[in-house]
């Protein structure tokens, strides 16, 4: 199963809006005879790849898969039926499928006489599929806030200079994060200050994420902006009452695919857009994971709305003492209101430290049940 989880991770960034899935097929003697993972949306599922590699050796053997085999026909056929037709005698899966249209594969397999067991390494497998599970359970994308800062939390010096606080190793890792995300999002402050590009560079085979700029008053994105080139698609989100004549003219002359979406403003006199409406609009476009890269005001708004699921911080061994902070006003006035995270990964990248912490994530339920719902489910220097 751990091997299947490793295989599933190879599909990160290329299977949306579908889940990442890995499968290992063992023969009657318990020897690995087939491996596969879901490589792209609309393509064969993990089980199909693994069964094709196993061939006749799958008969009487065991299929180990990270997600309950699907039970429906979409762009591909049902994996439960493929396993039955291959003569597999036993199926072990990690996470039950909570999606209404695809669940029930375990029952179909059992009714055909296949020995079925669920729940093996369920939490590990769910962690690898957290974006898709969040979308199914909460109807919105999984949100990661990424920032790069000094040890004293500054994203730039007092004069605004920020290149480069972190190392080349950290900046390369940011492109890996982008490649694993369906959308990369910045606010108008970052767009104005940095003119960011937001595309993935130097990650072989990467599927370019949707570049999203929150330009509430349609006052920042103009002709010639780097996000309007043909490197990746772009979406500019504006308030539903914004004057967009100049913006629409820029979009018409864009080299690549660029679109505008109108959304309601944030309520209660708060600045910016309604972030839940923004995530809903992205979800409707098939976005299952969002990487928020900047800036501090936008990140603070996401935290205040309880919409940050994961934080990835790149900390450089540098002190500035003054300058912009990584996080803006998040509506937290006392220590009792602090959002406390769980650190689940620390990695050295050159001289820097990457810290990953989560605010809670969908956890897998025992086989046959639904995963429990979770409480939540910079100015970018790598622009």
């Amino acid at each position: 199963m751990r091997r299947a989880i490793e295989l599933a991770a190879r599909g990160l960034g290329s299977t949306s809006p579908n889940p990442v899935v890995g499968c290992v097929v063992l023969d009657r003697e318990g020897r690995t005879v087939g491996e596969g993972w879901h490589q792209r949306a609309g393509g064969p599922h993990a089980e199909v790849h693994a069964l094709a590699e196993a061939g006749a050796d799958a008969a009487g053997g065991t299929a180990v898969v990270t997600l309950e085999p699907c039970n429906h026909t979409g762009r591909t056929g049902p994996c439960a039926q493929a396993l039955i037709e291959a003569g597999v005698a036993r199926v072990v899966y990690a996470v039950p499928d909570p999606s209404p249209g695809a669940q029930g594969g375990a029952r179909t397999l059992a009714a055909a006489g296949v020995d079925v067991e669920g729940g093996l390494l369920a939490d590990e497998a769910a962690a690898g599929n957290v974006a898709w599970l969040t979308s199914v359970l909460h109807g919105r994308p999984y949100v990661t806030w990424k920032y790069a800062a000094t040890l004293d939390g500054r994203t730039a010096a007092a004069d605004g200079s920020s290149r480069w606080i972190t190392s080349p190793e950290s900046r390369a890792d940011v492109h890996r994060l982008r490649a694993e995300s369906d959308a990369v999002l910045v606010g108008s402050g970052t767009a104005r200050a940095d003119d960011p590009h937001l595309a993935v560079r130097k990650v072989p085979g990467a599927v370019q994420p949707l570049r999203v700029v929150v330009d509430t008053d349609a006052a920042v994105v103009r002709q010639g902006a780097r996000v309007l080139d043909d490197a990746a698609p772009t979406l500019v989100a504006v308030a539903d009452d914004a004057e967009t004549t100049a913006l629409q003219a820029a979009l018409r002359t864009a080299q690549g695919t660029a679109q505008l979406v109108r959304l309601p403003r944030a309520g209660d006199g708060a600045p910016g857009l309604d972030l839940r409406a923004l995530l809903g609009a992205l979800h409707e476009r098939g976005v299952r994971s969002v990487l928020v890269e900047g800036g501090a005001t936008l990140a603070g708004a996401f935290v205040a709305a309880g919409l940050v699921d994961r934080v990835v911080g790149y900390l450089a061994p540098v002190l500035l003492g003054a300058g912009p902070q990584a996080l803006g006003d998040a509506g937290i006035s006392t220590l009792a209101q602090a959002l406390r995270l769980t650190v689940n990964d620390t990695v050295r990248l050159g001289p820097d430290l990457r810290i990953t912490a989560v605010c809670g994530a969908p956890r897998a339920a025992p086989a046959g049940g639904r995963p429990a719902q979770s409480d939540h489910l910079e100015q970018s220097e790598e622009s």
Side-chain angles (χ1 to χ4, degrees):
M1 183 62 79
R2 286 198 170 91
R3 175 59 179 166
I5 292 171
E6 291 176 2
L7 292 169
R10 297 183 182 182
L12 286 171
S14 61
T15 66
S16 189
N18 295 341
V20 294
V21 184
C23 179
V24 176
V25 174
L26 311 175
D27 66 11
R28 294 174 184 268
E29 307 302 323
R31 296 170 298 203
T32 297
V33 292
E35 293 185 341
W37 68 94
H38 186 35
Q39 299 177 11
R40 60 179 179 82
H45 290 187
E47 297 94 323
V48 174
H49 283 297
L51 289 172
E53 185 175 285
D57 289 333
T62 299
V64 181
V65 61
T66 57
L67 183 67
E68 178 185 3
C70 66
N71 197 41
H72 78 297
T73 299
R75 284 184 284 183
T76 61
C79 291
Q81 189 59 41
L83 290 164
I84 293 169
E85 292 174 357
V88 170
R90 183 168 180 252
V91 172
V92 179
Y93 67 90
V95 180
D97 191 332
S99 54
Q103 62 184 197
R107 290 193 300 271
T108 297
L109 289 164
V114 178
D115 181 19
V116 182
E117 176 185 345
L120 179 62
L121 299 184
D123 288 343
E124 291 182 33
N129 230 350
V130 67
W132 180 77
L133 286 170
T134 297
S135 75
V136 172
L137 297 173
H138 302 296
R140 66 164 177 84
Y142 184 80
V143 176
T144 297
W145 169 45
K146 162 263 167 186
Y147 71 95
T150 62
L151 283 183
D152 54 343
R154 307 294 176 173
T155 59
D159 64 357
S161 59
S162 63
R163 298 189 178 187
W164 298 104
I165 287 176
T166 56
S167 65
E169 293 89 343
S170 290
R171 298 196 298 274
D173 195 66
V174 170
H175 284 279
R176 175 194 60 82
L177 267 185
R178 288 180 180 177
E180 293 179 356
S181 305
D182 295 335
V184 180
L185 188 151
V186 297
S188 57
T190 296
R192 181 182 294 108
D194 289 358
D195 187 21
H197 191 231
L198 302 181
V200 175
R201 298 190 292 274
K202 297 181 180 180
V203 179
V207 176
Q208 289 291 346
L210 175 67
R211 299 178 292 190
V212 183
V213 179
V214 179
D215 188 4
T216 304
D217 294 310
V220 174
V221 178
R222 291 293 182 263
Q223 185 174 352
R226 296 175 71 206
V227 293
L228 298 182
D229 69 7
D230 60 359
T234 297
L235 182 70
V236 182
V238 304
D240 49 17
D241 59 351
E243 165 53 51
T244 61
T245 302
L247 172 58
Q248 289 181 330
L251 297 183
R252 285 195 295 270
T253 60
Q255 294 176 295
T257 303
Q259 296 181 330
L260 179 148
V261 61
R262 292 184 178 274
L263 298 169
R265 293 181 182 268
D268 299 324
L273 300 178
D274 182 327
L275 296 182
R276 292 188 182 276
L278 172 62
L279 292 181
L282 294 176
H283 191 264
E284 290 177 358
R285 287 167 168 77
V287 171
R288 298 297 178 257
S289 57
V290 173
L291 181 63
V292 178
E293 289 207 20
T297 300
L298 184 65
F302 267 93
V303 172
L307 293 174
V308 172
D309 300 294
R310 180 176 66 157
V311 178
V312 179
Y314 296 85
L315 300 181
V318 176
L319 298 176
L320 286 174
Q325 295 181 328
L327 184 64
D329 182 11
I332 298 171
S333 58
T334 69
L335 188 60
Q337 296 175 323
L339 177 59
R340 298 191 180 273
L341 315 180
T342 300
V343 174
N344 63 1
D345 186 49
T346 57
V347 176
R348 284 288 299 270
L349 295 170
D352 306 330
L353 181 66
R354 186 191 73 205
I355 300 178
T356 303
V358 295
C359 308
R363 294 175 59 84
R370 291 174 60 91
Q373 296 190 19
S374 65
D375 294 333
H376 296 270
L377 190 185
E378 100 201 55
Q379 182 172 331
S380 174
E381 66 163 71
E382 181 43 40
S383 59

